[in-house]
Amino acid sequence: MTEPLLTDLHICQADYHHAVHAEALVLLLDAYAQDPAGGDQPLSDFAKNNLVKELAARPQAFSVLAFDGAQPVGLVNCIEGFSTFACRPLVNVHDVAVLSSHRGRRVGEQMLDLVEHIARSRGACKLTLEVLQGNASAMRLYERVGFAAYQLNPALGQAQFLQKWLA
C-alpha cells in the first residue's frame, strides 16, 4: 500500500548559490550514499565540502530538489551529455534520492517530471540513467515514468553499464 500523496510538496530546480538549496543537496546526497542503494558509505568530507561548488562550475549540471514544507526530502542530480547518433544533447539522471520517510508518495515521479521539462528546454533527445538490478522500487518508478532498457538491435541484447575507476 502506498502512502498518501503529499499536499505541501514543493519541487524546484536547485540554485547552487542558494544556501538552503546547497545544504539540502549535500544532506540528501549523503543520506542516499549511506543507503544500501547508494553504497552504504557516507560522502567524504571532500565531497561534502566541494560538491555544490563543483556542480555550480559545470553549466551542463543541474539538480532538482523536493521539499515537504521546509524539510528537504528528495534530490535528482543530472548531467547533460551528447548523443552522437541524434546529434543532440541528452540528460543523464545521475542520482535519484528520496528520504525513506517519503518513499511511496510519488516524490521521485514529480522530480523526474521537472527533470524531463528541463531536459526538453535544453533540446535534449532523451534521458538516461542507471539502476541496480536489485532496486525493484526504483525500477517500478522508472518504468512508470517511461524509462525502458536500452538497446539498439534486439539481437545484440540490452546495454550494460560499466565503470573503470581512474584514481
Side-chain angles (χ1 to χ4, degrees), residues 19-139:
V20 170
H21 288 192
E23 184 180 320
L25 194 148
V26 173
L27 175 109
L28 291 163
L29 192 64
D30 187 46
Y32 175 46
Q34 293 182 55
D35 188 87
D40 278 325
Q41 296 293 318
L43 292 179
S44 68
D45 288 339
F46 175 81
K48 288 177 187 175
N49 293 326
N50 293 285
L51 178 63
V52 175
K53 175 184 71 162
E54 292 297 330
L55 286 171
R58 289 165 171 73
Q60 70 275 22
F62 68 92
S63 302
V64 168
L65 291 166
F67 291 89
D68 182 4
Q71 179 190 4
V73 298
L75 167 69
V76 179
N77 286 320
C78 299
I79 310 289
E80 185 179 303
F82 190 76
S83 169
T84 54
F85 283 13
C87 194
R88 290 178 49 202
L90 61 81
V91 170
N92 179 258
V93 176
H94 194 69
D95 303 301
V96 178
V98 176
L99 293 182
S100 59
S101 61
H102 285 71
R103 292 179 187 153
R105 297 181 182 191
R106 304 281 167 114
V107 174
E109 186 173 322
Q110 292 179 63
M111 289 190 300
L112 289 170
D113 185 57
L114 181 54
V115 166
E116 182 173 335
H117 176 76
I118 295 166
R120 287 181 187 280
S121 74
R122 289 174 169 233
C125 63
K126 67 180 175 179
L127 298 174
T128 63
L129 59 76
E130 61 267 6
V131 60
L132 297 173
Q133 287 177 320
N135 195 341
S137 61
M139 275 302 299

Side-chain angles (χ1 to χ4, degrees), residues 85 149-160:
F85 283 13
Y150 175 78
Q151 64 183 18
L152 292 172
N153 179 338
L156 294 177
Q158 297 175 357
Q160 293 184 330

